[in-house]
Amino acid sequence: MAAKKPRADNSFDALFKPILLRSESAQSFKALANEIFQEIKPRSPIERIITHQIVAKAGDIARYQQLRTGILNTGFLPAMQTLLEVGGPPGGVMTDILVLEYFVKPQSRRKVREKLSQRGFTEADIDAEAFRSEPIVLEKIDKLLAAAESGLRKWVRELQDLRIKQPPAAEKPILPAPDADIRCVPDSADDHCRATRSQSAKCLQKYWTAVCARQAAIEPERVPAWPVCSAALHRL
């Protein structure tokens, strides 16, 4: 049995293939990209490029948010050390072991809470101290996050403007020529009525009603009025 040929990746997909960090999930990024592509449904190569840019900016926003949280997490233990050393001996010799064992031994966590309480702090103050100790780094992350959000809005506007300038081609109703036979729209597969100009206007009225319905679905503001057609029927 012949082996299946590998599916050729779209050229745009290969061009915009993301490069992820080691801690990032390729499966999660792919799920994000699929959701965005399903919602936008790009109709042209230009729209596909814009959609890839939107996916990239959305991925950057998720990345910077995770990095911001990670920076605060890495500063948690140093911030705890700083708070425990307030009013204590210099060097933090008495608090180093408690800090290192905070996530390992319940008794060490309990002693940390007691010492923090003696100094008027709580565990929530550790996060506040971690935030205070990294203002420059957090400011850089916030600028990157703001730039990514601005870029996302920019590409969404680009897509909206492109679709306003190039709306999908709508099928225009084809009206019969003046001297041509007029076929009425059948009510079912077995109903094939046909009328000529010399026959009853009833079939023409049915046909015109169907044309108006199609026109209303395409261009509601240009639906022709039936009285115009009715006046023409009296001239038949």
Side-chain angles (χ1 to χ4, degrees):
M1 183 176 180
K4 293 183 179 180
K5 294 182 179 180
R7 183 179 64 86
D9 290 334
N10 185 283
S11 57
F12 292 108
D13 296 336
L15 181 63
F16 291 96
K17 186 175 181 180
I19 300 177
L20 304 179
L21 302 178
R22 295 187 185 92
S23 60
E24 294 175 336
S25 170
Q27 185 177 1
S28 298
F29 187 88
K30 186 177 180 180
L32 172 66
N34 289 339
E35 288 289 336
I36 294 176
F37 267 84
Q38 286 295 325
E39 179 176 349
I40 295 178
K41 293 181 174 61
R43 304 185 300 246
S44 67
I46 296 299
E47 287 193 5
R48 194 167 185 86
I49 292 175
I50 293 177
T51 306
H52 275 291
Q53 295 291 351
I54 292 175
V55 171
K57 293 304 179 183
D60 286 342
I61 291 173
R63 173 179 297 163
Y64 297 145
Q65 289 175 339
Q66 292 177 356
L67 290 178
R68 194 176 192 280
T69 304
I71 290 171
L72 293 175
N73 286 336
T74 57
F76 184 82
L77 292 181
M80 183 191 303
Q81 181 80 29
T82 301
L83 294 181
L84 290 177
E85 288 179 0
V86 175
V93 177
M94 296 179 61
T95 59
D96 285 344
I97 300 300
L98 292 178
V99 171
L100 293 177
E101 295 178 348
Y102 178 81
F103 293 108
V104 180
K105 296 181 179 180
Q107 58 270 27
S108 295
R109 177 172 294 190
R110 184 169 55 254
K111 289 181 180 179
V112 167
R113 292 172 180 168
E114 292 174 358
K115 287 184 175 295
L116 289 175
S117 178
Q118 293 172 3
R119 291 164 173 78
F121 300 128
T122 64
E123 287 183 299
D125 295 323
I126 300 175
D127 290 327
E129 175 63 21
F131 189 92
R132 188 193 66 81
S133 63
E134 299 290 349
I136 298 178
V137 179
L138 291 176
E139 183 180 3
K140 291 181 179 180
I141 291 293
D142 288 340
K143 288 181 178 180
L144 291 173
L145 185 58
E149 292 172 345
S150 176
L152 176 62
R153 291 191 294 268
K154 169 195 169 185
W155 285 113
V156 170
R157 287 194 301 267
E158 289 286 342
L159 179 64
Q160 292 174 342
D161 293 343
L162 180 64
R163 290 190 168 179
I164 291 175
K165 295 176 182 178
Q166 300 178 356
E171 181 183 358
K172 300 294 183 180
I174 302 176
L175 300 180
D179 296 330
D181 289 348
I182 300 174
R183 303 172 185 271
C184 69
V185 179
D187 295 331
S188 64
D190 298 329
D191 183 12
H192 299 287
C193 77
R194 177 177 297 180
T196 62
R197 288 170 59 91
S198 61
Q199 291 177 327
S200 171
K202 182 178 180 180
C203 191
L204 177 59
Q205 182 175 1
K206 182 187 294 186
Y207 169 79
W208 190 263
T209 302
V211 168
C212 291
R214 290 180 58 197
Q215 185 71 21
I218 299 173
E219 296 176 308
E221 68 280 1
R222 297 183 59 185
V223 177
W226 168 248
V228 176
C229 182
S230 179
L233 290 177
H234 291 294
R235 295 195 297 269
L236 291 177

